Amino acid sequence: MKVGIVEIAERAGVSEATVSRVINRRQGVAKKTRDAVEQAMTELGYERPVQGQLVALLTEHVSNPFFADVAERIESTLAPHGLKTVLCPAFPGGVQEPEYISAIVDKGIAAVVFLSSSNTVDGADTETYEILRGRRIPYVGINGVFADGVAVPVYSTDDALAAELAVDHLYRLGHRAIGMASGPTGNLPADRRVQGFLDAMAKRGVEDAERLVIRQSYTIEGGQAAAQTLIGLGATAVVAASDYMALGAIRGIRRQGRSVPEDVSVVGYDGALITEFVDPPLTTVRQPAERLALEVGRSVLALVSNRDVPVGELLFDPELIIRSTTGPAPQ
């Protein structure tokens, strides 16, 4: 049986929070209490990760609430086991993934998590993966497989199902001219969402849906520009590839003198908490942040303990959250 903080807390006669503080070498624990916890760990055979205490989390999307939420949940999963998450914001124009890894690899990296980073880019540079494999440092991906084709654990939201949920909702409301504001070509999640959207529309007899797909950046400005183009093409509803794009789409629709959802309905994607409090509250397809983070955490803990983890991509179902930015198609 694997020993965890619950068993250690029971043996030492302290709270689980105290055990967590001792494992993470935090202040605020009396020496007598710390000694009792350390003794319990020894008696129970608890092993700290042997490959290092750091887990590097690489992402391009630090400002996006969804990715910040996933990063925080991963950290919360790993911290009780003595692993400290280091956030590495590798975005265009800044420090890149190989530079981050090269700078900290000798500090003792236990594992690396690619959070919708280079693992989402078609034809990405494989230098980072080569460095990690050369040092025998395990790595996992979120929302995208790796360009070098090496089989590692990957945990993704089912983008095809996400598109189906959004299209089905809008179709039931009477919308037929449904457009999509998606991310750039070559971004794996964006490409998957577009293909899922086209498949969902074709399933409903719409064969020319590609004319209503606009590729833009994953930003508010990108969503605004895409929505304005879609309105010009006659769209009565917009499926956005992110919540940020959806918020931009709402702004673009309003600047065209239209109302949401009376004239144009909007569906977002990600499910960040803030979307419940915008005006109007955003209908969105929520990614399962908690389940993704938990599975990633479990995978990392197993890998740093030299235990096998199934490789390949595991898909998680998203959930449609209906709020106030979608309504019946205008007559």
Side-chain angles (χ1 to χ4, degrees):
M1 181 180 69
K2 183 171 177 58
V3 176
I5 61 173
V6 175
E7 291 78 14
I8 297 170
E10 291 177 352
R11 175 66 67 90
V14 299
S15 69
E16 294 176 25
T18 298
V19 174
S20 178
R21 286 197 292 272
V22 172
I23 290 174
N24 290 290
R25 298 181 174 86
R26 294 175 182 167
Q27 298 180 350
V29 180
K31 183 179 184 304
K32 182 178 179 181
T33 302
R34 186 180 297 276
D35 289 344
V37 172
E38 294 283 1
Q39 182 177 347
M41 292 166 62
T42 300
E43 292 173 353
L44 293 172
Y46 179 83
E47 296 181 1
R48 300 177 189 269
V50 295
Q51 290 177 276
Q53 297 297 312
L54 302 179
V55 173
L57 199 159
L58 295 162
T59 184
E60 296 182 14
H61 310 282
V62 179
S63 61
N64 187 308
F66 169 76
F67 294 102
D69 183 30
V70 173
E72 182 178 336
R73 291 176 184 274
I74 292 174
E75 195 278 336
S76 297
T77 301
L78 298 178
H81 299 273
L83 291 169
K84 299 175 179 62
T85 302
V86 178
L87 185 62
C88 303
F91 50 83
V95 180
Q96 298 302 293
E97 290 180 359
E99 297 173 80
Y100 269 121
I101 297 303
S102 296
I104 64 177
V105 70
D106 292 325
K107 305 296 183 182
I109 305 178
V112 175
V113 177
F114 291 81
L115 175 50
S116 290
S117 190
S118 63
N119 60 309
T120 65
V121 179
D122 186 24
D125 189 342
T126 62
E127 180 182 354
T128 307
Y129 319 143
E130 292 164 5
I131 294 172
L132 295 174
R133 288 199 301 273
R135 294 296 190 98
R136 296 185 178 275
I137 298 172
Y139 57 95
V140 302
I142 298 178
N143 281 345
V145 296
F146 292 87
D148 60 0
V150 174
V152 299
V154 175
Y155 305 95
S156 304
T157 301
D158 190 333
D159 290 311
L161 177 57
E164 168 63 28
L165 291 173
V167 169
D168 181 68
H169 172 59
L170 293 168
Y171 212 83
R172 289 174 183 273
L173 290 171
H175 294 276
R176 297 298 179 266
I178 303 172
M180 183 170 200
S182 185
T185 301
N187 176 273
L188 181 59
D191 293 344
R192 286 177 167 181
R193 289 164 201 172
V194 167
Q195 189 57 55
F197 171 78
L198 296 176
D199 290 345
M201 295 294 284
K203 178 180 175 181
R204 291 161 177 81
V206 181
E207 300 296 340
D208 63 342
E210 194 163 2
R211 73 180 185 87
L212 292 178
V213 174
I214 305 299
R215 297 279 196 155
Q216 264 293 349
S217 60
Y218 277 118
T219 62
I220 289 176
E221 292 75 18
Q224 176 180 330
Q228 289 173 333
T229 300
L230 288 170
I231 288 175
L233 294 173
T236 65
V238 176
V239 176
S242 76
D243 288 337
Y244 266 21
M245 294 192 80
L247 296 178
I250 293 172
R251 185 168 73 178
I253 291 165
R254 287 172 171 168
R255 289 188 178 180
Q256 293 284 350
R258 311 291 180 88
S259 297
V260 176
E262 291 78 11
D263 299 315
V264 184
S265 290
V266 177
V267 179
Y269 184 80
D270 281 340
L273 179 63
I274 190 64
T275 57
E276 185 177 350
F277 302 99
V278 298
D279 183 24
L282 180 67
T283 295
T284 186
V285 180
R286 177 188 291 162
Q287 295 198 64
E290 183 175 1
R291 285 185 289 140
L292 278 170
L294 179 61
E295 200 62 39
V296 168
R298 287 173 172 170
S299 176
V300 168
L301 290 170
L303 289 169
V304 301
S305 300
N306 295 315
R307 289 186 280 126
D308 290 335
V309 174
V311 299
E313 188 173 26
L314 194 64
L315 294 179
F316 291 75
D317 285 357
E319 176 187 11
L320 177 67
I321 307 297
I322 301 174
R323 298 196 182 108
S324 303
T325 57
T326 50
Q331 298 298 317

